[in-house]
Amino acid sequence: MTFSFRSFAFATTVFAALTGAAVAEDVTIRYLGGSGGLSAHELAAELGYFEGTGITLENVGNAAGGPESLIALAGGSVDLGSAATAAVLNSIAAGNDFVAAYPSNGITEEAQSIFYVLEDSPIKEIKDIVGKTIAVNTLGAHLEYAVREALHQNGLPPDAANLIVVPGPQLEQVLRSGQVDIAAFGYWQTTFEGAARQNGGLRKVFGDTEVLGEIAGGFVTLRRDWVEAHPEAARIFVEQSARALDYAREFPEETKVVLRDALNERGENGDLAQYFQGYGVREGGLAVERDVQFWIDVLEREGKVAAGVLSPSEILFVANDAVASK
């Protein structure tokens, strides 16, 4: 079964009109969560969008980053993964038969990855990060690829900076204590970024919008065989998750309340919810070809993927026709 770019497509107006969902067979979707936030499918569950659909979400733990969730997805211990687009593409190129279900986040001026230094740091621009140590939440994911692309665009070797792994809640601490030169807060970590900014003494060097433009940052990903086995559940899952993305854009303050309560219930700091900047995903909550093609071009340029092996039309489960056709 091959999913073309417009297969299973549905108009964005459907989401606004939905007051319920069709019923799939009873399906439990296992996933790995992350600290400091809610994925759109988790928000959809909190809002009751899966009630009566037969779909149940089951959090089976937390992932340190996207590559970990993709490994779990490939191994069958979870039913969905969530990772940066480049990481998803690398995984598919390595032989995993995944489809990109919906954009987990988008990169915009409001919701973007930001690379911070201390206010008195000599690092002023991208060229200054050569040889410096950058804290990221995981390797092989969005922040690493954003750094590589930033260096490439400045005529520098893509591996000219040193990246080390630091969990999101500790990013501010390691920067302020001088253990790293730069702390990279991902577009999905706006809660941690907002708290660090509020504490003062930090300066932005660059954000990934300056390097990548406005683009999907990553995707929630499903195994193709799972989609083939549960086509109706897959469709409903994507529809309701996209509906939650629209809800977050239209009702940001209400979304912060939902996030606050969820964080508190998980034993995390609910006060971080005030810094949530949204998901940054375009209206309708779906992808366009550039979201995937940009990174295919990068991976082909770096020799990590042979030309013509990857195609957005074979990777995207569903796309925003209204936008993509323009």
Side-chain angles (χ1 to χ4, degrees):
M1 185 179 192
T2 299
F3 298 105
S4 69
F5 181 58
R6 290 179 174 82
S7 65
F8 290 91
F10 38 87
T12 57
T13 53
V14 171
F15 298 117
L18 279 172
T19 57
V23 178
E25 76 274 29
D26 289 340
V27 173
T28 296
I29 301 177
R30 301 163 299 161
Y31 70 97
L32 294 171
S35 59
L38 285 177
S39 62
H41 47 270
E42 288 177 304
L43 176 60
E46 293 286 342
L47 295 171
Y49 290 174
F50 293 122
E51 291 179 7
T53 68
I55 294 174
T56 301
L57 299 187
E58 180 185 353
N59 185 325
V60 295
N62 276 3
E68 182 180 340
S69 77
L70 293 179
I71 291 171
L73 178 62
S77 58
V78 297
D79 304 302
L80 68 85
S82 182
T85 310
V88 171
L89 294 175
N90 264 328
S91 190
I92 293 172
N96 290 304
D97 200 4
F98 296 159
V99 292
Y102 73 85
S104 56
N105 294 78
I107 296 168
T108 67
E109 285 301 321
E110 292 73 33
Q112 62 176 298
S113 306
I114 299 179
F115 293 75
Y116 278 115
V117 296
L118 296 177
E119 231 166 21
D120 58 357
S121 169
I123 301 170
K124 306 291 185 184
E125 56 185 337
I126 291 172
K127 292 181 179 180
D128 298 332
I129 73 175
V130 173
K132 299 300 189 294
T133 300
I134 305 175
V136 298
N137 72 304
T138 190
L139 299 177
H142 177 77
L143 293 172
E144 178 176 345
Y145 283 101
V147 170
R148 293 176 65 85
E149 185 63 15
L151 289 165
H152 169 77
Q153 291 180 12
N154 281 268
L156 299 165
D159 58 354
N162 305 313
L163 275 60
I164 67 168
V165 175
V166 175
Q170 279 78 58
L171 286 170
E172 179 182 2
Q173 175 188 341
V174 297
L175 178 60
R176 293 190 187 279
S177 63
Q179 297 176 65
V180 298
D181 301 302
I182 304 162
F185 294 84
Y187 54 77
W188 63 96
Q189 296 172 312
T190 58
T191 52
F192 298 138
E193 182 274 327
R197 175 167 34 85
Q198 182 70 22
N199 290 331
L202 304 183
R203 175 169 48 80
K204 174 183 174 182
V205 179
F206 71 98
D208 51 9
T209 52
E210 298 163 42
V211 178
L212 309 174
E214 295 202 354
I215 191 171
F219 281 87
V220 168
T221 306
L222 302 168
R223 290 194 313 276
R224 195 180 300 270
D225 61 353
W226 188 93
V227 174
E228 291 174 346
H230 308 286
E232 185 67 5
R235 182 187 65 80
I236 294 170
F237 171 75
V238 173
E239 285 182 353
Q240 300 307 315
S241 298
R243 182 183 172 198
L245 289 170
D246 277 350
Y247 178 92
R249 189 186 61 259
E250 295 166 11
F251 305 103
E253 295 308 312
E254 291 86 345
T255 302
K256 289 177 182 179
V257 172
V258 175
L259 174 56
R260 180 200 65 198
D261 293 345
L263 291 177
N264 284 334
E265 186 175 345
R266 291 186 334 210
E268 298 183 44
N269 181 8
D271 290 342
L272 290 174
Q274 65 185 296
Y275 302 114
F276 179 63
Q277 295 296 314
Y279 294 101
V281 176
R282 62 183 61 85
E283 183 179 357
L286 301 176
V288 296
E289 279 197 335
R290 180 181 181 271
D291 293 332
V292 173
Q293 189 63 55
F294 177 91
W295 289 110
I296 291 176
D297 293 342
V298 169
L299 293 174
E300 289 180 353
R301 184 191 72 215
E302 293 188 351
K304 294 185 176 180
V305 174
V309 169
L310 298 177
S311 167
S313 65
E314 296 301 315
I315 292 168
L316 292 171
F317 173 62
V318 65
N320 190 332
D321 280 5
V323 176
S325 63
K326 294 181 179 179

